[in-house]
Amino acid sequence: MTIAFDHSYARDLPGTYLRVAPDPAPAPRLLYLNRPLAADLGLDLSDAEAEAWFSGASLPPGADPIAQAYAGHQFGGFSPQLGDGRAHLLGEVLAPDGHRFDIQLKGSGKTPFSRGGDGKAAVGPMLREVLVSEFMAATGVPTTRALSVVATGEEVWRDTKLPGAVLARIAASHLRVGTFQFFAARGERDRVKALADYAIARHYPDLSQVENPYLALLDAVIATQSRLIAEWMGVGFIHGVMNTDNMAISGETIDYGPCAFMEGYAPGTVFSSIDHQGRYAYANQPLILGWNLARLAETLLPLLDPDQDKAVDIANDRLSGIAPRYRAEWTGVLRRKLGLVGEDPADAQLAEDLLSAMEGADWTLTFRRLADAAALRPLSSDFTRMEVWLPRWRARAGEGAAQRIAAANPAVIPRNHKVEEALTAATAGDMAPFHALLSAIQSPFAEAEPYMLPAPTGFGTYVTYCGT
Ligand code: AMP
Ligand code: MG
């Protein structure tokens, strides 16, 4: 096939990227191709095409690979230059439904943004991105998607030698909060304006007509990111590196690194080996949402009002709306998870009381089993508070709650021990556990016993690593 590439980013935003080609993979071998996604996107790819084009072995005709510049606050500290250090944007394509998407390779070699890194990625972390992002897509959480993973035939050095791989990632765009920060920090106001105009045209075209489109852009990102983080919290997702360079303007989840799903409900849960302070702990994510959006607002100040004091007032007014907006989104997610119909002012409290009663109990299964007290009991070490709470919930939820619960709460999540098992096997050359797990994850509302059980006690505390 031929991919009908377009390159609006490169065309409209000169000076925001560098042209650089991916490294050719010496012995590419297709490990995974997301055929349903390819079909949705209008990409009628053969395995051989995916293997060659999405490993860097050869460029698809019409591709014009670039590495995008961006900055970012990492764990609160500002890095003025990050950028695509191991990724190449091949170009954009229009899907049959008219929406524009990026095809980007990740793990495809060094770029001028690589700093000390090798520009590569290992098989395990790229397949982890497939598992987690496919789960997000299957449960309706906005996300970038994984189109393919191709083993390169090269070895990469981490703690040990590992097989290398390239991921082809599909995104509504790769515009990040950090993209705006890169140009704002350099005082390049025209580029910030051009980026904002581009973001509006690409993601929020209705806003170009309003009186202050840049304020509307800020509002739109606040809205979409508040919804996104509430959805993450609903499925127990912990991103692990909510740096501003990992927050997409489109509202999609992006950059699956040391992410993982919480098993037993504990608000302070952290999986990342480097998150010593718990900055990106489960319950901290809504606060980081506000912090990151404040960084976005700062970059937009000159566009909000020519008078700087006025601009700051306008931005602060919007930022003060984030917490209540997030709370409303979160209450909405919890209502859905609790199978509640309509809105009752007491719903938020009902949900809060469940959270305090269920501390330590499996996040996923507790919601899934709410309508089945016998199955619920063994999930809690102390069921007494749940026993007080359940009749309140039953009275509010009413008829049909069991069906609504089953439709709203996944039975299967990518459980850490299952993900590790699949990635360890894949790294050793056996893809069968990965495919079995992926297929369970892609139908997360169907009960699939072996994938539903929490980690065996011997699994221990789960740790995930950055720089993978
Ligand atoms: P991440 O932690 O994936 O969000 O990446 C943060 C920054 O580090 C980005 O600029 C990446 O491009 C860069 N980076 C991560 N891993 C590598 C690598 N192996 N080689 C070069 N750059 C990397
Ligand atoms: Mg990143």
Side-chain angles (χ1 to χ4, degrees):
M1 75 160 300
T2 51
I3 301 178
F5 280 111
D6 186 37
H7 302 283
S8 71
Y9 187 90
R11 193 167 55 236
D12 294 356
L13 297 168
T16 67
Y17 58 88
L18 296 167
R19 257 199 186 82
V20 48
D23 281 354
R29 196 163 54 83
L30 184 67
L31 296 181
Y32 170 69
L33 175 61
N34 193 336
R35 290 193 181 79
L37 176 64
D40 283 352
L41 297 176
L43 300 173
D44 182 22
L45 290 160
S46 70
D47 286 7
E49 286 165 338
E51 189 170 87
W53 292 346
F54 302 145
S55 65
S58 68
L59 276 182
D64 183 12
I66 61 169
Q68 293 173 307
Y70 53 86
H73 277 88
Q74 301 180 299
F75 289 89
F78 187 61
S79 297
Q81 184 175 306
L82 293 169
D84 289 332
R86 55 164 171 174
H88 296 80
L89 176 63
L90 296 182
E92 304 141 20
V93 183
L94 292 182
D97 69 4
H99 83 269
R100 180 179 291 267
F101 62 90
D102 280 3
I103 305 181
Q104 190 205 55
L105 303 185
K106 180 170 169 181
S108 41
K110 279 195 208 178
T111 77
F113 299 114
S114 299
R115 292 162 295 150
D118 62 0
K120 305 288 177 170
V123 161
M126 296 305 98
L127 293 177
R128 174 198 294 277
E129 178 148 349
V130 175
L131 291 170
V132 180
S133 60
E134 282 304 288
F135 172 77
M136 298 299 235
T139 47
V141 182
T143 181
T144 62
R145 299 288 298 271
L147 179 60
S148 63
V149 176
V150 186
T152 57
E154 255 179 357
E155 286 177 321
V156 298
W157 271 101
R158 293 299 178 253
D159 287 339
T160 163
K161 249 190 209 173
L162 293 169
V166 173
L167 170 84
R169 176 159 75 182
I170 302 299
S173 84
H174 285 83
L175 293 172
R176 306 151 188 268
V177 170
T179 319
F180 286 80
Q181 288 182 288
F182 183 88
F183 298 100
R186 292 154 60 113
E188 297 186 32
R189 288 187 179 190
D190 291 350
R191 290 228 163 90
V192 175
K193 182 173 181 302
L195 268 176
D197 288 334
Y198 181 86
I200 291 167
R202 185 155 173 183
H203 297 299
Y204 307 103
D206 296 347
L207 305 185
S208 59
Q209 304 307 320
V210 306
E211 194 185 320
N212 187 339
Y214 307 110
L215 182 58
L217 173 65
L218 177 62
D219 284 339
V221 181
I222 288 173
T224 186
Q225 281 289 342
S226 300
R227 210 172 308 132
L228 179 67
I229 306 307
E231 294 289 350
W232 287 3
M233 300 296 281
V235 291
F237 178 71
I238 302 168
H239 184 286
V241 264
M242 267 182 89
N243 295 331
T244 54
D245 53 303
N246 292 336
M247 185 175 261
I249 299 301
S250 66
E252 290 181 338
T253 311
I254 192 168
D255 272 2
Y256 293 92
C259 58
F261 292 84
M262 178 172 66
E263 296 228 321
Y265 173 54
T269 304
V270 169
F271 292 113
S272 168
S273 64
I274 60 167
D275 193 357
H276 307 296
Q277 316 282 324
R279 179 180 173 89
Y280 300 139
Y282 174 73
N284 234 24
Q285 296 183 123
L287 293 174
I288 297 296
L289 160 78
W291 196 91
N292 286 352
L293 291 170
R295 305 290 79 75
L296 175 65
E298 284 165 3
T299 72
L300 297 175
L301 286 177
L303 300 175
L304 298 184
D305 198 285
D307 176 333
Q308 198 185 329
D309 290 342
K310 264 197 204 148
V312 169
D313 285 347
I314 294 170
N316 277 332
D317 173 61
R318 295 318 218 261
L319 294 172
S320 67
I322 296 173
R325 173 177 277 274
Y326 171 77
R327 272 198 302 279
E329 294 288 353
W330 179 223
T331 301
V333 168
L334 287 169
R335 251 190 210 111
R336 199 177 75 219
K337 287 181 77 64
L338 292 175
L340 308 182
V341 179
E343 297 186 8
D344 183 309
D347 290 344
Q349 191 61 51
L350 181 70
E352 275 311 308
D353 292 345
L354 169 64
L355 299 195
S356 40
M358 70 177 277
E359 198 138 337
D362 190 83
W363 177 260
T364 304
L365 293 180
T366 297
F367 282 97
R368 180 82 188 180
R369 297 285 182 244
L370 273 183
D372 180 355
L376 203 52
R377 182 177 292 272
L379 299 175
S380 294
S381 53
D382 173 8
F383 199 60
T384 46
R385 294 176 69 190
M386 286 293 287
E387 244 163 355
V388 175
W389 182 85
L390 278 169
R392 284 171 61 201
W393 170 69
R394 282 192 206 106
R396 166 70 179 91
E399 283 295 298
Q403 288 88 321
R404 292 193 295 276
I405 289 283
N409 292 287
V412 176
I413 63 163
R415 293 203 178 255
N416 301 324
H417 64 295
K418 285 291 177 193
V419 171
E420 283 309 301
E421 186 184 287
L423 301 188
T424 304
T427 301
D430 175 11
M431 291 294 292
F434 167 85
H435 285 296
L437 175 58
L438 180 63
S439 120
I441 277 170
Q442 286 174 327
S443 302
F445 297 98
E447 307 240 335
E449 188 64 43
Y451 297 102
M452 293 171 65
L453 302 174
T457 41
F459 187 65
T461 308
Y462 192 52
V463 180
T464 55
Y465 299 90
C466 282
T468 49

